[in-house]
Amino acid sequence: MRRPPEEAAREGPCGWGLWRVQESRRLCCTGPDRCGQALLQIGINMMALPGGRHLDPTPLPGQRLGLMQVDSVQRWMEDLKLMTECECMCILQAKPISLEEDAQSDLILAGGPGPGDPLQLLLKRGWVISTELRRIGQKLAQDRWARVHSMSVRLTCHARSMVSEYSAASRSSSQEMGQVEKLLMEKCSELSVVTERCLQVENEHVLKSMKACVSETLSTLGQHFGQLLELALTREVQALVRKIDASDNIYTTETTTGNLFSLTQEGAPLCRIIAKEGGVVALFKVCRQDSFRPLYPQALRTLASICCVEEGVHQLEKVDGVLCLADILTDDSHSEATRAEAAAVVAQVTSPHLAFTQHLSSFLESMEEIVTALVKLCQEASSGEVFLLASAALANITFFDTMACEVLLQLNAIRILLEACSDKQRVDTPYTRDQIVTILANMSVRDQCASDIIQENGIQLIMGMLSEKPRSGTPAEVAACERVQQKAAVTLARLSRDPAVAQEAVRLSCMSRLIELCRSPSERNSSDAVLVACLAALRRLAGVCPEGLQDSDFQQLVQPRLVDSFLLCSNMEESFV
């Protein structure tokens, strides 16, 4: 949902602008009159070129000093800038465009991290070397030996640079890292030598055997590189965690926590390293100190990212993290932002897509108070993002334990959620409606749910969700709309056990919409999941109110076996008549 902090904010001022200022100052402070006259003549000559402004070469005596020190040099540099830009354009027009796309890795380090930033150096160099390894594998599969050799040489240079730059930046190295560095450089040299030999071999059978050798060397090299990178990153993470753990300064802790959050955005492997090295413990320590209250949202956001891996969830349970989250959610003295970030952590650790979260036994002890706090947060949310985080946590909890639905019914959550759907400030995206309809679908297995939904005009809302359409057309939004349609149909099918719900659905023309979704692939974005859910809902409604169907619809969509109706609708082409 959020993006990591912009890397551009960490970069220093542009060196080119500083050079221009210094160079201009140096030229303008010329001492002897003869040098000044020379500069003046250069300015005159440049301005006489096309596009330049003409300057009288014999200024008045009173103007000579100011013209020599300011006007001539300044105008000369302005015109020179225009001329060099034209020259650059000519060079670019004459430069051939490479089809190999290999120059990217050479340019990627331009303007990279300074010598005092070993962590960013590791990430950037690591990305470049990983890209080179992948490209070498592609060229090897194509038997392009010239490219394989040149890229192997370049890979060796990158690996050597990473080792030397990191050693200089960190100023110390463990014995284990030294051994892996040695193995890595040996394999790089071996790869360069063997690929050079392959260039001189013409026999296809010999080349085929050597190709297997190159492939094995490349694989071993990749393993050594992965080991080295993991050791170096582990070392840097340990330093960050120690800094958070030992710091009592809010500004130092804020900076270090921000760096840790940036690392979590690099993927699951780094999240595992952070969890193993005590990152979860250190962050919950921050969340238990009142002096660090302004940092709670940032620390919780980092925890939510770490808990996408099993190691993070296990560490959370070991330090009674669920109890800490419950305390934050139920404490109204905390800001809405803090409670929303705590809800995000709850949503992450109860995700039904992660098998290891289902064994979070400590959550059941605090479930009722957490659900109560989340419902309140949904009701009082001041923005769509806060409502989304709270509703996502509730939706996941309904998968996590069936007793959560009982608690939601007691809290009159259906009314709160359905009222929120009419508030565009809180519910304005298909992602949020996906969470709401998920909660309704899981609650609809309870008999009491049907009467509550009818009382709050929920059938009309579900009918609207069957017509959910994406606004932007992005794959993520299209997928969200499909989920909303599918879950709305599932909810309708479950609720239609109650004849009152079925009759209300027929009165609102839900059957017509379900038939349209079944027969028109474009209405459901050709989704098979939506089709199956709509067929099931239509058959449930037809069992209660068969008079709402035409004979053709009944014979094709209701009477046959479900699989036969599915095959008929999934192969159906739209009529444009």
Side-chain angles (χ1 to χ4, degrees):
M1 250 168 290
R2 306 172 184 81
R3 304 181 114 189
E6 294 290 337
E7 292 183 1
R10 297 193 292 268
E11 294 178 1
C14 179
W16 169 249
L18 183 62
W19 181 88
R20 287 181 58 188
V21 173
Q22 293 173 342
E23 188 68 11
S24 175
R25 187 179 298 123
R26 182 175 63 82
L27 290 173
C28 291
C29 295
T30 308
D33 184 67
R34 184 170 56 186
C35 184
Q37 290 287 354
L39 287 173
L40 177 61
Q41 189 60 43
I42 292 173
I44 294 170
N45 293 338
M46 295 300 295
M47 293 170 199
L49 293 170
R53 291 167 292 182
H54 181 69
L55 179 68
D56 188 354
T58 57
L60 295 176
Q63 297 175 339
R64 181 178 297 274
L65 183 60
L67 186 64
M68 177 179 67
Q69 292 186 348
V70 180
D71 290 359
S72 62
V73 175
Q74 184 176 350
R75 294 181 182 179
W76 169 65
M77 292 189 71
E78 289 177 357
D79 288 353
L80 184 61
K81 178 183 176 183
L82 296 175
M83 289 188 62
T84 52
E85 285 181 350
C86 293
E87 187 177 356
C88 288
M89 288 300 297
C90 293
I91 293 174
L92 287 173
Q93 289 172 2
K95 185 177 178 63
I97 299 175
S98 172
L99 298 177
E100 300 295 340
E101 299 180 358
D102 294 326
Q104 183 181 2
S105 56
D106 289 336
L107 299 175
I108 193 67
L109 291 176
D117 192 1
L119 191 53
Q120 290 302 317
L121 185 148
L122 281 171
L123 293 174
K124 189 158 285 192
R125 282 287 185 190
W127 185 88
V128 171
I129 293 175
S130 299
T131 303
E132 288 292 341
L133 286 168
R134 176 176 56 82
R135 288 176 176 171
I136 291 175
Q138 292 173 349
K139 302 302 178 187
L140 181 63
Q142 299 169 2
D143 294 332
R144 301 184 63 179
W145 292 105
R147 297 300 307 156
V148 169
H149 175 63
S150 64
M151 294 171 73
S152 299
V153 173
R154 191 166 62 198
L155 175 66
T156 303
C157 295
H158 283 308
R160 186 177 293 112
S161 296
M162 185 184 80
V163 170
S164 61
E165 289 172 3
Y166 180 70
S167 298
S170 61
R171 299 181 181 178
S172 61
S173 179
S174 65
Q175 183 177 0
E176 185 179 7
M177 282 186 64
Q179 293 174 350
V180 179
E181 287 173 3
K182 183 179 179 181
L183 291 172
L184 175 65
M185 296 315 302
E186 287 177 354
K187 282 298 175 183
C188 284
S189 300
E190 181 182 335
L191 183 65
S192 299
V193 171
V194 72
T195 53
E196 186 177 12
R197 290 176 184 168
C198 290
L199 290 174
Q200 304 168 2
V201 175
E202 297 181 358
N203 189 303
E204 292 186 3
H205 295 289
V206 175
L207 201 58
K208 188 174 181 180
S209 62
M210 294 185 73
K211 182 177 179 179
C213 178
V214 171
S215 180
E216 183 179 352
T217 303
L218 192 64
S219 176
T220 306
L221 191 155
Q223 292 175 6
H224 292 325
F225 166 69
Q227 292 172 2
L228 178 61
L229 191 61
E230 183 175 358
L231 287 171
L233 287 172
T234 299
R235 182 179 174 182
E236 296 302 319
V237 167
Q238 288 172 344
L240 287 176
V241 171
R242 282 196 301 268
K243 200 170 183 180
I244 293 175
D245 204 31
S247 175
D248 56 359
N249 183 289
I250 190 170
Y251 301 107
T252 302
T253 306
E254 181 181 17
T255 302
T256 312
T257 305
N259 292 338
L260 206 61
F261 174 75
S262 299
L263 282 181
T264 64
Q265 305 306 294
E266 297 295 331
L270 265 169
C271 290
R272 291 189 183 93
I273 293 175
I274 294 171
K276 289 178 180 178
E277 299 305 324
V280 174
V281 178
L283 290 169
F284 270 113
K285 182 179 177 182
V286 171
C287 292
R288 287 186 168 107
Q289 297 184 52
D290 286 339
S291 58
F292 287 150
R293 275 202 171 204
L295 303 185
Y296 283 10
Q298 187 182 51
L300 290 166
R301 191 178 306 126
T302 308
L303 281 166
S305 298
I306 299 173
C307 288
C308 72
V309 297
E310 186 172 3
E311 293 82 356
V313 176
H314 288 165
Q315 290 297 316
L316 178 141
E317 190 165 25
K318 284 183 179 179
V319 297
D320 291 329
V322 174
L323 185 61
C324 180
L325 294 173
D327 291 341
I328 292 173
L329 283 168
T330 54
D331 187 351
D332 291 337
S333 66
H334 287 295
S335 66
E336 184 185 66
T338 299
R339 286 179 288 144
E341 296 296 346
V345 182
V346 172
Q348 183 63 66
V349 300
T350 55
S351 173
H353 304 292
L354 305 177
F356 49 83
T357 62
Q358 300 301 316
H359 306 291
L360 198 64
S361 57
S362 61
F363 184 82
L364 297 176
E365 301 172 5
S366 305
M367 186 186 70
E368 186 171 351
E369 58 182 346
I370 288 176
V371 169
T372 303
L374 290 172
V375 170
K376 183 179 180 182
L377 187 58
C378 285
Q379 189 172 18
E380 300 174 353
S382 62
S383 67
E385 184 178 7
V386 173
F387 186 91
L388 175 61
L389 292 172
S391 60
L394 285 174
N396 287 353
I397 291 173
T398 59
F399 284 108
F400 189 81
D401 190 81
T402 55
M403 288 302 297
C405 295
E406 291 288 348
V407 178
L408 287 171
L409 285 171
Q410 294 170 11
L411 294 171
N412 205 10
I414 290 178
R415 178 183 60 80
I416 294 172
L417 294 173
L418 295 181
E419 284 180 356
C421 289
S422 59
D423 183 0
K424 297 300 180 184
Q425 187 176 356
R426 288 185 291 170
V427 181
D428 59 344
T429 67
Y431 308 106
T432 309
R433 282 185 283 274
D434 181 21
Q435 308 308 321
I436 293 174
V437 74
T438 299
I439 298 170
L440 294 178
N442 288 338
M443 290 181 67
S444 61
V445 297
R446 303 285 176 178
D447 293 334
Q448 183 186 343
C449 181
S451 59
D452 289 356
I453 286 181
I454 291 179
Q455 185 177 352
E456 300 297 333
N457 296 322
I459 303 300
Q460 189 170 357
L461 175 67
I462 295 172
M463 173 70 175
M465 289 180 174
L466 288 173
S467 301
E468 188 75 29
K469 295 287 185 182
R471 296 177 185 175
S472 63
T474 60
E477 189 172 359
V478 170
C481 291
E482 291 177 14
R483 292 195 300 271
V484 171
Q485 288 182 331
Q486 177 196 5
K487 293 171 185 177
V490 169
T491 305
L492 193 59
R494 290 176 177 176
L495 292 173
S496 295
R497 298 189 313 268
D498 188 323
V501 173
Q503 291 171 4
E504 179 68 7
V506 172
R507 187 184 71 81
L508 293 172
S509 303
C510 285
M511 293 181 75
S512 300
R513 179 56 184 163
L514 291 170
I515 291 170
E516 185 179 16
L517 286 167
C518 291
R519 292 192 176 278
S520 177
S522 62
E523 288 296 314
R524 61 175 190 274
N525 195 41
S526 301
S527 169
D528 289 342
V530 176
L531 174 58
V532 171
C534 289
L535 285 171
L538 184 62
R539 287 164 180 248
R540 181 62 64 88
L541 287 174
V544 179
C545 302
E547 63 275 6
L549 283 175
Q550 296 181 3
D551 291 342
S552 59
D553 295 328
F554 181 81
Q555 293 172 4
Q556 294 179 356
L557 305 178
V558 176
Q559 192 176 34
R561 294 182 307 164
L562 181 63
V563 65
D564 294 331
S565 296
F566 170 79
L567 292 174
L568 173 68
C569 294
S570 60
N571 295 325
M572 189 176 293
E573 296 183 0
E574 292 187 69
S575 173
F576 297 95
V577 177

